[in-house]
Amino acid sequence: MMEALVRLREAVANRNDEGPTLTPFVGAGFSSAATSGASVFARPCRPAGPSA
Amino acid sequence: MKEQLDNADTITFLAVADEITRRLSAVRQGREFGSWLRRTVGGLRPSKEGRQVIKAVCELGNFIVTTNYDKLIEETTGWKSCTWSDQHYAAALARPPAVVHLHGVVDNPNSIILSSAHYERLSINEPTQIFHRTLFASRRFVFIGCGDGLGDPDISTLMEFAYRDEPETEHYLLVTGKQLRRLNEHPISPQVTPVAYGSDFSELTPFLVKLVNNRPIAVSQDPDYYDRKPLVAVLGLARQAWDQLQAAGEAFRRAERAMDQVDNLGTVPDGMARWDYRDREAVHEQLAAAIRGPTLRLDSALVQVVGLVQETERHAGRLTARQFARFATDLRMMTDEVDGLESALWQLRGRVMRRRDDLEVRAGLSDGYRIHVDTLAHAFESVEVAHDTVHSIKEGLDELRADRLPEPPPAGGREMSQPGQAGTRRADLRAVPDAASPGFAEATEPDPDFFPHEVTAEPGDGVRLRFRSVPVVGSIQAGDFTLADPGNIEEYQTLPAQHVHGEPIFLLLVRGNSMAGEDGVLEDDYVVVRRQSAWGNGDMVVVFDPGEGAVLKRIWRRDDESIVLQPSNPDYPPLELQPGTEPAVLGKVIGVVRWQIREGRRPRPPG
């Protein structure tokens, strides 16, 4: 269960090496968190389901 | 329109976006659209914590990609913006750091992608599409604040292209623990792995700060963990089961009174002719009914107890010491009730059986008694079922080792003197079953966080050093701590591997100086504890105390089988357990760590 977290940590730890680059992609929830929940556009988010 | 956006799907969102764009574009030759954007999105300012989270994200990479229009990141960090309508958009990647606004940026209203027409415009812009597809196929993303979906029509298309081009690339989606199960069952894409950052939004910043600083992160990735609060689950069920048992007990006391009435009628006299069996019919039926009712109630209690056993197996390890003490008290009350009920039912069963057998003899003499025999036979069946049910409940509670649980706290406690104090302090050391102690549900698989990972260092000359990273999970005599909860890990300490073998092991910070004598364990030392319930005479162990959490002592069993917990500081008296009481040993101390950080001094010049 912890595998995903471990892989993410490794990816972050290697960010300055030659390995693949990890790029943050921030969504509306991020802006909302950064402004303590100020109202921002709710970007469309479909409920999680099988990828189209 | 606002109401429409609550729980809106992509189509609804786009319909609302179309309407907003249409209305605003119609005012002041379209300039109102830009003013509105600046008033709303442009007016956002990061909070103090927001700046922290932005800075943490910026540590992750040289670029941040976003569909947001705001410039919170740029304003906090001074990074530049770039968006699809810029002349040298694609070249921006050659000049980090930058924030890539895939769908436009607030200070350029013409770049904003909001309505269906905007999306259409973006989809036919070939250079932008090529750039975006390359971006998605060539990078590994960590999606932050994207909820549990990436359903934007443009982004989902880009993800599909990326999967086609580079199916092996793994992306990460940071989510709250509650979203984990749904995402594990219905993945957004084979490439996107959900990672929980905590229970709610407030844990995002600490998670990111730890992530970028390569500090240990103890966040459960188990969906079960976030399902329900363990205290509610376990204590709630214990309380419900207790209520059912009490109600059943009360009902059976009524059944006993009904039985008394039957007995009061006396044995059927030998001279049957003088005895009217019809008089007894009502009393026997009353008894049968009085037994049937509570039998059903006991069934409900059994269901509650079975649920309780299951929930406890899942959650007991996550209760804190104080919560566990409450749980133990509830279990003890239940055990007492069940014990009492079982013996009362056994007696009732005997009484019903005797009366039934007596009537059976009479029925052989006269058919008139047959109906009485049948009624009492039903009553007997009910009481047998009830007894079996209570027995099953008892077995369920035994699984929780209820028979070894501590007594409820007495009015007073055993008093012991405290050095340096004129008064006294209480020490209620009681036995707790090891399988049900906090963090020690041995049947369950220990959390991988407690299996220290090993690191090696090769400083040169063929020297290879091995270290293990050991979690610190709390302090001794500090009360509330939960050993099995990875969320309780405060830090990891890297220690030489040869001194910390075995697993699972953890560190506890020492508070107080009761072991400061011969053992020399001082306040602020760390003890290395191997998780085990077995102990040998003279071992230094961590023992669970429902009142105080964990205490550190040496343990001895005397010839008379009584057990003494011995502090090594002579100023502290030993604690003696009641004969027959088994201590709840949480782990054996296998080492002591004392950090000594001294100021570096310049060596004197030779000569």
Side-chain angles (χ1 to χ4, degrees), chain A residues 1-2 4-5 7-9 11-13 15 20-36 38-52, chain B residues 13 36 41 44-47 50 57 59-60 63-66 68-70 103 119 139-145 148 152 160 170 172 183 187-188 193 201 211-212 219 221 449:
Chain A
M1 297 261 189
M2 300 294 281
L5 179 58
R7 290 202 303 274
L8 172 63
R9 285 185 57 186
V12 174
R15 66 189 185 278
T21 315
L22 199 66
T23 305
F25 183 112
V26 303
F30 178 80
S31 290
S32 192
T35 52
S36 300
S39 169
V40 288
F41 285 132
R43 303 293 296 177
C45 282
R46 69 177 167 207
S51 183
Chain B
F13 181 88
W36 170 74
V41 182
L44 295 177
R45 291 289 171 270
S47 62
V57 168
E59 291 282 319
L60 285 171
F63 291 96
I64 293 175
V65 178
T66 181
N68 296 344
Y69 314 130
D70 63 70
H103 289 171
Y119 277 98
R139 292 188 172 258
R140 299 172 75 190
F141 285 105
V142 49
F143 294 98
I144 305 162
D148 61 2
D152 180 286
E160 281 163 30
E170 185 176 33
Y172 303 95
L183 286 164
I188 289 172
T193 305
F201 238 26
L211 188 67
V212 297
V219 174
Q221 300 298 315
D449 283 69

Coordinates of all heavy atoms in Angstrom, one line a residue, chain A residues 1-2 4-5 7-9 11-13 15 20-36 38-52, chain B residues 13 36 41 44-47 50 57 59-60 63-66 68-70 103 119 139-145 148 152 160 170 172 183 187-188 193 201 211-212 219 221 449:
Chain A
M1 N 0.8 -1.2 0.0 CA 0.0 0.0 0.0 C 0.9 1.3 0.0 O 0.5 2.3 -0.5 CB -0.9 0.0 1.2 CG -1.8 -1.1 1.3 SD -3.5 -0.6 0.7 CE -4.4 -2.1 1.2
M2 N 2.0 1.2 0.7 CA 2.9 2.3 0.8 C 3.7 2.5 -0.5 O 4.4 3.5 -0.6 CB 3.8 2.2 2.0 CG 3.1 2.1 3.3 SD 2.2 3.6 3.8 CE 3.6 4.6 4.3
A4 N 3.1 3.3 -3.6 CA 3.0 4.5 -4.4 C 3.7 5.7 -3.8 O 4.4 6.4 -4.5 CB 1.5 4.8 -4.5
L5 N 3.6 5.8 -2.5 CA 4.2 6.9 -1.7 C 5.7 6.7 -1.9 O 6.5 7.7 -2.1 CB 3.8 6.9 -0.3 CG 4.4 7.9 0.6 CD1 4.1 9.3 0.1 CD2 3.8 7.8 2.0
R7 N 7.4 5.3 -4.2 CA 7.9 5.7 -5.6 C 7.9 7.2 -5.8 O 8.7 7.7 -6.4 CB 7.0 4.9 -6.6 CG 7.2 3.4 -6.7 CD 6.7 2.9 -8.0 NE 5.4 3.2 -8.3 CZ 4.3 2.5 -7.9 NH1 4.6 1.4 -7.1 NH2 3.1 2.8 -8.1
L8 N 6.8 7.8 -5.3 CA 6.7 9.3 -5.4 C 7.9 9.9 -4.7 O 8.6 10.8 -5.2 CB 5.4 9.8 -4.8 CG 5.3 11.3 -4.7 CD1 5.3 12.0 -6.1 CD2 4.0 11.7 -4.0
R9 N 8.2 9.4 -3.5 CA 9.4 10.0 -2.8 C 10.7 9.8 -3.5 O 11.5 10.7 -3.6 CB 9.5 9.3 -1.4 CG 8.4 9.8 -0.4 CD 8.6 9.2 0.9 NE 9.9 9.6 1.4 CZ 10.5 9.1 2.5 NH1 9.8 8.3 3.3 NH2 11.6 9.4 2.9
A11 N 11.0 9.5 -6.7 CA 10.9 10.4 -7.9 C 11.3 11.8 -7.5 O 12.1 12.5 -8.2 CB 9.5 10.4 -8.5
V12 N 10.8 12.3 -6.3 CA 11.2 13.6 -5.8 C 12.6 13.7 -5.5 O 13.3 14.6 -5.8 CB 10.3 14.0 -4.7 CG1 10.7 15.3 -4.1 CG2 8.8 14.1 -5.1
A13 N 13.1 12.6 -4.8 CA 14.5 12.6 -4.3 C 15.5 12.7 -5.5 O 16.5 13.3 -5.4 CB 14.8 11.4 -3.5
R15 N 15.0 14.3 -8.2 CA 14.6 15.4 -9.2 C 15.8 16.1 -9.7 O 15.7 16.7 -10.8 CB 13.6 16.3 -8.6 CG 14.1 17.1 -7.4 CD 12.9 17.8 -6.8 NE 13.3 18.7 -5.7 CZ 13.5 18.4 -4.4 NH1 13.4 17.1 -4.1 NH2 13.8 19.2 -3.5
P20 N 14.1 11.0 -14.9 CA 13.0 11.7 -15.5 C 12.5 12.9 -14.6 O 12.6 12.8 -13.4 CB 11.9 10.7 -15.4 CG 12.5 9.4 -15.1 CD 13.8 9.7 -14.5
T21 N 12.1 13.9 -15.2 CA 11.7 15.1 -14.4 C 10.3 15.0 -13.9 O 9.4 14.4 -14.5 CB 11.7 16.3 -15.4 OG1 12.9 16.3 -16.2 CG2 11.7 17.6 -14.6
L22 N 10.2 15.4 -12.7 CA 8.8 15.4 -12.1 C 8.3 16.8 -12.2 O 9.0 17.8 -11.8 CB 8.9 15.0 -10.6 CG 7.7 14.5 -10.0 CD1 7.2 13.2 -10.6 CD2 7.9 14.3 -8.5
T23 N 7.1 17.0 -12.7 CA 6.6 18.3 -12.9 C 5.3 18.5 -12.1 O 4.3 17.7 -12.3 CB 6.3 18.5 -14.4 OG1 7.5 18.3 -15.1 CG2 5.8 19.9 -14.7
P24 N 5.2 19.5 -11.2 CA 4.0 19.7 -10.5 C 2.9 20.2 -11.5 O 3.2 21.1 -12.3 CB 4.3 20.7 -9.5 CG 5.7 20.9 -9.5 CD 6.3 20.4 -10.8
F25 N 1.7 19.6 -11.4 CA 0.6 20.1 -12.2 C -0.5 20.6 -11.1 O -1.0 19.7 -10.4 CB 0.0 19.0 -13.0 CG -1.1 19.4 -13.9 CD1 -1.0 19.5 -15.3 CD2 -2.4 19.8 -13.4 CE1 -2.0 19.9 -16.1 CE2 -3.4 20.2 -14.2 CZ -3.2 20.2 -15.6
V26 N -0.7 21.9 -11.1 CA -1.6 22.3 -10.0 C -3.0 22.6 -10.5 O -3.2 23.2 -11.6 CB -1.1 23.4 -9.1 CG1 0.3 23.1 -8.6 CG2 -1.0 24.7 -9.9
G27 N -4.0 22.2 -9.8 CA -5.4 22.4 -10.2 C -6.1 23.4 -9.3 O -5.4 24.1 -8.4
A28 N -7.4 23.6 -9.5 CA -8.1 24.6 -8.7 C -8.1 24.4 -7.2 O -8.0 25.4 -6.5 CB -9.6 24.6 -9.2
G29 N -8.0 23.2 -6.8 CA -7.9 22.9 -5.4 C -6.7 23.5 -4.7 O -6.7 23.9 -3.6
F30 N -5.6 23.5 -5.5 CA -4.4 24.1 -5.1 C -4.5 25.6 -4.8 O -4.1 26.1 -3.7 CB -3.3 23.9 -6.1 CG -2.0 24.4 -5.7 CD1 -1.2 23.8 -4.8 CD2 -1.5 25.7 -6.2 CE1 0.1 24.3 -4.4 CE2 -0.3 26.2 -5.8 CZ 0.5 25.5 -4.9
S31 N -5.1 26.3 -5.7 CA -5.3 27.8 -5.5 C -6.3 28.0 -4.3 O -6.1 28.9 -3.5 CB -5.9 28.4 -6.8 OG -5.0 28.4 -7.8
S32 N -7.2 27.1 -4.2 CA -8.2 27.2 -3.1 C -7.5 27.0 -1.8 O -7.7 27.8 -0.8 CB -9.3 26.2 -3.3 OG -10.3 26.4 -2.4
A33 N -6.5 26.0 -1.7 CA -5.8 25.8 -0.5 C -4.9 27.0 -0.2 O -4.7 27.4 0.9 CB -5.0 24.5 -0.6
A34 N -4.2 27.5 -1.3 CA -3.3 28.6 -1.1 C -3.9 29.9 -0.7 O -3.2 30.8 -0.2 CB -2.5 28.8 -2.4
T35 N -5.2 30.0 -0.9 CA -5.9 31.2 -0.5 C -6.8 31.0 0.6 O -7.8 31.7 0.9 CB -6.7 31.8 -1.7 OG1 -7.5 30.8 -2.2 CG2 -5.8 32.3 -2.8
S36 N -6.6 29.9 1.4 CA -7.4 29.4 2.5 C -8.9 29.3 2.1 O -9.8 29.9 2.7 CB -7.3 30.4 3.7 OG -6.0 30.5 4.1
A38 N -10.5 30.5 -0.6 CA -11.2 31.6 -1.3 C -11.9 31.0 -2.5 O -11.4 30.0 -3.1 CB -10.2 32.7 -1.7
S39 N -12.9 31.6 -2.9 CA -13.7 31.1 -4.1 C -12.9 31.3 -5.4 O -12.6 32.4 -5.7 CB -15.0 31.8 -4.1 OG -15.7 31.5 -5.3
V40 N -12.6 30.2 -6.0 CA -12.0 30.3 -7.3 C -12.8 29.4 -8.3 O -13.7 28.8 -7.8 CB -10.5 29.8 -7.3 CG1 -9.6 30.7 -6.6 CG2 -10.5 28.4 -6.7
F41 N -12.5 29.5 -9.5 CA -13.3 28.7 -10.4 C -13.1 27.2 -10.1 O -12.1 26.7 -9.9 CB -12.7 28.9 -11.9 CG -13.1 30.1 -12.5 CD1 -12.2 30.9 -13.1 CD2 -14.4 30.6 -12.4 CE1 -12.6 32.1 -13.6 CE2 -14.8 31.8 -12.9 CZ -13.9 32.6 -13.6
A42 N -14.2 26.5 -10.0 CA -14.2 25.1 -9.9 C -14.0 24.5 -11.3 O -14.9 24.6 -12.1 CB -15.5 24.6 -9.3
R43 N -12.8 24.0 -11.5 CA -12.6 23.4 -12.8 C -13.4 22.1 -12.9 O -13.7 21.5 -11.9 CB -11.1 23.1 -13.0 CG -10.2 24.2 -12.8 CD -10.4 25.3 -13.9 NE -10.0 24.7 -15.2 CZ -10.1 25.4 -16.3 NH1 -10.7 26.6 -16.3 NH2 -9.8 24.9 -17.5
P44 N -13.8 21.8 -14.1 CA -14.7 20.6 -14.2 C -13.9 19.4 -13.8 O -12.8 19.1 -14.3 CB -15.0 20.6 -15.7 CG -14.0 21.4 -16.4 CD -13.5 22.4 -15.4
C45 N -14.4 18.6 -13.0 CA -13.8 17.4 -12.6 C -14.9 16.3 -12.7 O -15.9 16.3 -11.9 CB -13.3 17.4 -11.1 SG -11.8 18.3 -11.0
R46 N -14.7 15.4 -13.5 CA -15.7 14.3 -13.6 C -15.4 13.3 -12.5 O -14.3 13.2 -12.0 CB -15.6 13.6 -15.0 CG -14.3 12.8 -15.0 CD -14.2 12.0 -16.3 NE -12.8 11.5 -16.4 CZ -12.2 11.3 -17.5 NH1 -12.8 11.4 -18.7 NH2 -11.0 10.8 -17.6
P47 N -16.5 12.7 -12.0 CA -16.2 11.7 -11.0 C -15.2 10.6 -11.5 O -15.2 10.3 -12.7 CB -17.6 11.0 -10.8 CG -18.6 11.9 -11.5 CD -17.8 12.7 -12.5
A48 N -14.4 10.1 -10.6 CA -13.4 9.1 -11.0 C -14.1 7.9 -11.7 O -15.1 7.4 -11.1 CB -12.6 8.7 -9.9
G49 N -13.6 7.5 -12.7 CA -14.2 6.3 -13.4 C -13.2 5.8 -14.4 O -12.2 6.4 -14.6
P50 N -13.6 4.8 -15.1 CA -12.7 4.3 -16.1 C -12.3 5.3 -17.1 O -13.2 6.1 -17.5 CB -13.4 3.1 -16.8 CG -14.5 2.8 -15.8 CD -14.8 4.0 -15.0
S51 N -11.1 5.4 -17.5 CA -10.6 6.4 -18.4 C -11.4 6.3 -19.7 O -11.6 5.2 -20.2 CB -9.1 6.3 -18.6 OG -8.7 7.3 -19.5
A52 N -11.8 7.5 -20.3 CA -12.5 7.4 -21.5 C -11.6 6.9 -22.7 O -10.5 7.1 -22.7 CB -13.0 8.8 -21.9
Chain B
F13 N -20.7 22.3 -16.3 CA -19.7 23.4 -16.1 C -19.6 24.2 -17.4 O -19.5 25.4 -17.4 CB -18.4 22.8 -15.7 CG -17.4 23.8 -15.4 CD1 -17.2 24.4 -14.2 CD2 -16.5 24.2 -16.4 CE1 -16.3 25.4 -14.0 CE2 -15.6 25.2 -16.2 CZ -15.5 25.8 -15.0
W36 N -14.1 41.5 -15.2 CA -14.7 40.5 -14.2 C -13.6 39.5 -13.8 O -13.5 39.1 -12.6 CB -15.8 39.7 -15.0 CG -16.3 38.5 -14.2 CD1 -17.1 38.5 -13.1 CD2 -16.1 37.1 -14.6 NE1 -17.4 37.2 -12.8 CE2 -16.7 36.3 -13.6 CE3 -15.3 36.5 -15.6 CZ2 -16.7 34.9 -13.7 CZ3 -15.3 35.1 -15.7 CH2 -16.0 34.4 -14.7
V41 N -10.7 36.3 -10.2 CA -9.4 35.6 -10.1 C -8.2 36.5 -9.8 O -7.4 36.1 -8.9 CB -9.2 34.8 -11.4 CG1 -7.9 34.0 -11.4 CG2 -10.4 34.0 -11.8
L44 N -7.4 37.3 -6.0 CA -6.9 36.3 -5.1 C -5.5 36.6 -4.5 O -4.6 37.0 -5.3 CB -6.9 34.9 -5.8 CG -8.2 34.3 -6.2 CD1 -8.0 33.0 -6.9 CD2 -9.2 34.1 -5.1
R45 N -5.4 36.4 -3.2 CA -4.1 36.6 -2.6 C -3.8 35.4 -1.7 O -4.6 34.9 -1.0 CB -4.1 37.9 -1.7 CG -4.2 39.2 -2.5 CD -2.9 39.5 -3.2 NE -3.1 40.6 -4.1 CZ -3.5 40.5 -5.4 NH1 -3.8 39.4 -5.9 NH2 -3.6 41.6 -6.2
P46 N -2.5 35.0 -1.8 CA -2.2 33.8 -1.0 C -2.2 34.1 0.5 O -1.8 35.2 0.9 CB -0.8 33.4 -1.4 CG -0.2 34.6 -2.0 CD -1.4 35.4 -2.5
S47 N -2.7 33.1 1.3 CA -2.6 33.2 2.8 C -1.2 32.9 3.2 O -0.3 32.5 2.3 CB -3.6 32.2 3.4 OG -3.2 30.9 3.1
G50 N -0.6 29.5 2.5 CA -0.6 29.4 1.1 C 0.8 29.6 0.5 O 1.2 28.9 -0.4
V57 N 5.8 23.5 -3.5 CA 5.6 23.0 -4.8 C 6.7 23.4 -5.7 O 7.1 22.6 -6.6 CB 4.2 23.4 -5.3 CG1 4.0 23.1 -6.8 CG2 3.1 22.7 -4.5
E59 N 9.7 23.8 -5.1 CA 10.9 23.0 -4.9 C 10.9 21.7 -5.7 O 11.9 21.0 -5.8 CB 11.0 22.6 -3.4 CG 11.2 23.8 -2.5 CD 12.7 24.2 -2.5 OE1 13.6 23.3 -2.5 OE2 13.0 25.4 -2.5
L60 N 9.7 21.3 -6.1 CA 9.6 20.0 -6.8 C 10.2 20.0 -8.2 O 10.6 19.0 -8.7 CB 8.1 19.6 -6.9 CG 7.4 19.0 -5.6 CD1 6.0 18.8 -5.8 CD2 8.1 17.7 -5.2
F63 N 9.4 23.8 -13.4 CA 8.2 24.3 -14.1 C 7.0 23.8 -13.3 O 7.0 22.8 -12.7 CB 8.0 23.7 -15.5 CG 9.1 24.2 -16.4 CD1 10.2 23.5 -16.6 CD2 8.9 25.4 -17.1 CE1 11.2 23.9 -17.5 CE2 9.8 25.9 -17.9 CZ 11.0 25.1 -18.1
I64 N 6.0 24.7 -13.3 CA 4.7 24.2 -12.8 C 3.7 24.4 -13.9 O 3.6 25.4 -14.5 CB 4.3 25.1 -11.5 CG1 5.3 24.8 -10.4 CG2 2.9 24.8 -11.1 CD1 5.1 25.6 -9.2
V65 N 3.0 23.4 -14.1 CA 2.0 23.4 -15.2 C 0.6 23.5 -14.5 O 0.4 22.9 -13.4 CB 2.0 22.1 -16.0 CG1 0.9 22.1 -17.1 CG2 3.4 22.0 -16.7
T66 N -0.3 24.4 -15.0 CA -1.5 24.6 -14.4 C -2.6 24.9 -15.4 O -2.3 25.4 -16.5 CB -1.5 25.7 -13.3 OG1 -2.7 25.8 -12.7 CG2 -1.0 27.0 -13.9
N68 N -5.0 26.7 -14.0 CA -5.6 27.9 -13.2 C -5.2 29.2 -14.0 O -4.2 29.2 -14.6 CB -5.0 27.9 -11.8 CG -5.5 26.7 -11.0 OD1 -6.4 26.0 -11.4 ND2 -4.8 26.5 -9.9
Y69 N -6.1 30.2 -13.8 CA -5.8 31.5 -14.5 C -5.0 32.4 -13.5 O -4.5 33.4 -14.0 CB -7.1 32.2 -14.8 CG -8.1 31.3 -15.5 CD1 -9.4 31.2 -15.1 CD2 -7.8 30.5 -16.6 CE1 -10.4 30.5 -15.7 CE2 -8.7 29.7 -17.3 CZ -10.0 29.7 -16.8 OH -10.9 28.9 -17.4
D70 N -5.1 32.1 -12.2 CA -4.5 33.1 -11.3 C -3.0 33.1 -11.3 O -2.3 32.1 -11.9 CB -5.0 32.7 -9.9 CG -4.5 31.4 -9.4 OD1 -3.3 31.2 -9.2 OD2 -5.3 30.4 -9.3
H103 N -4.3 27.0 -19.9 CA -5.6 27.6 -20.3 C -5.7 29.1 -20.1 O -6.8 29.6 -19.8 CB -6.7 26.8 -19.6 CG -6.9 25.4 -20.1 ND1 -7.8 24.5 -19.4 CD2 -6.4 24.8 -21.1 CE1 -7.7 23.4 -20.1 NE2 -6.9 23.5 -21.1
Y119 N -12.5 26.3 -25.9 CA -11.9 24.9 -26.0 C -11.7 24.6 -27.5 O -10.7 24.0 -27.9 CB -12.7 23.9 -25.3 CG -12.5 23.8 -23.8 CD1 -13.3 24.4 -22.9 CD2 -11.4 23.1 -23.3 CE1 -13.1 24.4 -21.5 CE2 -11.1 23.0 -22.0 CZ -12.0 23.7 -21.1 OH -11.7 23.6 -19.7
R139 N 7.0 14.3 -19.7 CA 7.2 14.6 -18.2 C 6.4 13.7 -17.3 O 5.3 13.2 -17.7 CB 6.8 16.1 -18.0 CG 7.8 17.0 -18.6 CD 7.6 18.5 -18.3 NE 8.8 19.2 -18.8 CZ 9.8 19.6 -18.1 NH1 9.8 19.4 -16.8 NH2 10.8 20.2 -18.7
R140 N 6.9 13.6 -16.1 CA 6.1 12.9 -15.1 C 5.5 13.9 -14.2 O 6.1 14.8 -13.6 CB 7.1 12.0 -14.3 CG 7.8 11.0 -15.1 CD 8.8 10.3 -14.2 NE 8.2 9.4 -13.2 CZ 8.9 8.8 -12.2 NH1 10.1 9.2 -12.0 NH2 8.3 8.0 -11.5
F141 N 4.2 13.8 -14.1 CA 3.5 14.9 -13.4 C 3.1 14.4 -12.0 O 2.9 13.2 -11.7 CB 2.1 15.2 -14.1 CG 2.4 16.1 -15.3 CD1 2.2 15.6 -16.6 CD2 2.7 17.4 -15.2 CE1 2.4 16.3 -17.7 CE2 2.9 18.2 -16.3 CZ 2.8 17.7 -17.5
V142 N 3.1 15.3 -11.1 CA 2.5 15.1 -9.8 C 1.3 16.1 -9.7 O 1.5 17.3 -9.7 CB 3.5 15.2 -8.6 CG1 4.3 16.4 -8.6 CG2 2.8 15.1 -7.3
F143 N 0.1 15.6 -9.8 CA -1.1 16.4 -9.8 C -1.5 16.8 -8.4 O -1.7 15.9 -7.5 CB -2.2 15.6 -10.5 CG -2.0 15.3 -11.9 CD1 -1.5 14.1 -12.3 CD2 -2.3 16.3 -12.9 CE1 -1.3 13.8 -13.7 CE2 -2.0 16.0 -14.2 CZ -1.6 14.8 -14.6
I144 N -1.6 18.1 -8.2 CA -1.9 18.6 -6.9 C -3.1 19.5 -6.9 O -3.2 20.4 -7.8 CB -0.7 19.4 -6.3 CG1 0.6 18.6 -6.3 CG2 -1.0 19.9 -4.9 CD1 1.8 19.4 -6.2
G145 N -4.1 19.2 -6.1 CA -5.3 20.1 -6.1 C -6.2 19.8 -7.3 O -6.9 20.7 -7.7
D148 N -10.4 14.4 -7.4 CA -10.2 13.0 -7.7 C -10.4 12.7 -9.2 O -10.6 11.6 -9.6 CB -11.1 12.1 -6.8 CG -12.5 12.4 -7.1 OD1 -12.8 13.3 -7.9 OD2 -13.3 11.8 -6.4
D152 N -11.1 17.7 -17.2 CA -11.2 18.7 -18.1 C -11.1 18.1 -19.5 O -10.2 17.3 -19.8 CB -10.0 19.7 -17.9 CG -9.9 20.8 -18.8 OD1 -9.6 20.6 -20.0 OD2 -10.3 22.0 -18.4
E160 N -4.7 11.0 -22.7 CA -4.9 9.9 -23.6 C -3.7 9.8 -24.6 O -3.2 8.7 -24.9 CB -6.2 9.9 -24.3 CG -7.3 9.5 -23.4 CD -8.7 9.9 -23.9 OE1 -8.8 10.0 -25.1 OE2 -9.6 10.1 -23.1
E170 N 4.9 7.0 -15.2 CA 4.0 7.0 -14.1 C 3.8 8.5 -13.6 O 4.7 9.2 -13.4 CB 4.6 6.2 -13.0 CG 3.6 6.0 -11.8 CD 4.2 5.1 -10.7 OE1 5.4 5.0 -10.6 OE2 3.4 4.4 -10.1
Y172 N 1.6 10.9 -10.6 CA 1.0 10.8 -9.3 C -0.1 11.8 -9.1 O 0.0 12.9 -9.6 CB 2.1 11.0 -8.2 CG 3.2 10.0 -8.4 CD1 4.4 10.4 -9.1 CD2 3.2 8.7 -7.9 CE1 5.4 9.5 -9.3 CE2 4.2 7.9 -8.1 CZ 5.3 8.2 -8.8 OH 6.4 7.4 -9.0
L183 N -10.5 5.8 -6.2 CA -9.5 5.9 -7.3 C -8.8 4.6 -7.5 O -8.3 4.3 -8.6 CB -8.5 7.0 -6.9 CG -9.1 8.4 -7.1 CD1 -8.2 9.4 -6.4 CD2 -9.2 8.7 -8.6
P187 N -9.5 3.6 -11.6 CA -8.3 4.5 -11.9 C -8.7 5.5 -13.0 O -9.4 5.2 -13.9 CB -7.2 3.5 -12.3 CG -7.7 2.2 -12.0 CD -9.2 2.2 -11.9
I188 N -8.1 6.7 -12.8 CA -8.4 7.7 -13.8 C -7.7 7.3 -15.1 O -8.2 7.5 -16.2 CB -7.8 9.0 -13.3 CG1 -8.6 9.6 -12.2 CG2 -7.7 10.1 -14.4 CD1 -8.0 10.7 -11.5
T193 N -1.1 7.2 -10.6 CA -1.2 6.5 -9.3 C -1.6 7.5 -8.2 O -1.0 8.5 -8.0 CB 0.2 6.0 -8.9 OG1 0.7 5.2 -10.0 CG2 0.2 5.2 -7.6
F201 N -7.4 18.6 3.6 CA -6.7 19.6 3.0 C -5.5 20.2 3.8 O -4.5 20.5 3.3 CB -7.7 20.8 2.7 CG -7.8 21.2 1.3 CD1 -7.5 20.3 0.3 CD2 -8.2 22.5 1.0 CE1 -7.6 20.7 -1.0 CE2 -8.3 22.8 -0.3 CZ -8.0 21.9 -1.3
L211 N 8.0 16.1 1.7 CA 8.3 15.5 0.4 C 9.5 16.2 -0.2 O 10.5 15.5 -0.6 CB 7.1 15.6 -0.5 CG 7.2 14.8 -1.8 CD1 7.2 13.3 -1.6 CD2 6.0 15.2 -2.7
V212 N 9.5 17.5 -0.3 CA 10.6 18.2 -0.9 C 11.8 18.2 -0.1 O 12.9 18.3 -0.6 CB 10.2 19.6 -1.3 CG1 9.1 19.6 -2.3 CG2 9.8 20.5 -0.1
V219 N 2.2 8.6 6.1 CA 0.8 8.8 5.8 C 0.3 7.5 5.2 O 0.9 6.9 4.3 CB 0.6 9.9 4.7 CG1 -0.8 10.0 4.2 CG2 1.1 11.3 5.2
Q221 N -1.5 4.7 3.3 CA -2.1 4.6 1.9 C -3.1 3.5 1.9 O -3.5 3.0 0.8 CB -0.9 4.3 0.9 CG 0.2 5.3 0.9 CD -0.3 6.7 0.4 OE1 -1.1 6.8 -0.6 NE2 0.0 7.7 1.1
D449 N 6.0 0.7 8.1 CA 6.8 1.8 8.6 C 7.7 1.3 9.8 O 8.7 1.9 10.2 CB 5.9 2.9 9.1 CG 5.4 3.7 7.9 OD1 4.6 3.2 7.2 OD2 5.9 4.9 7.8

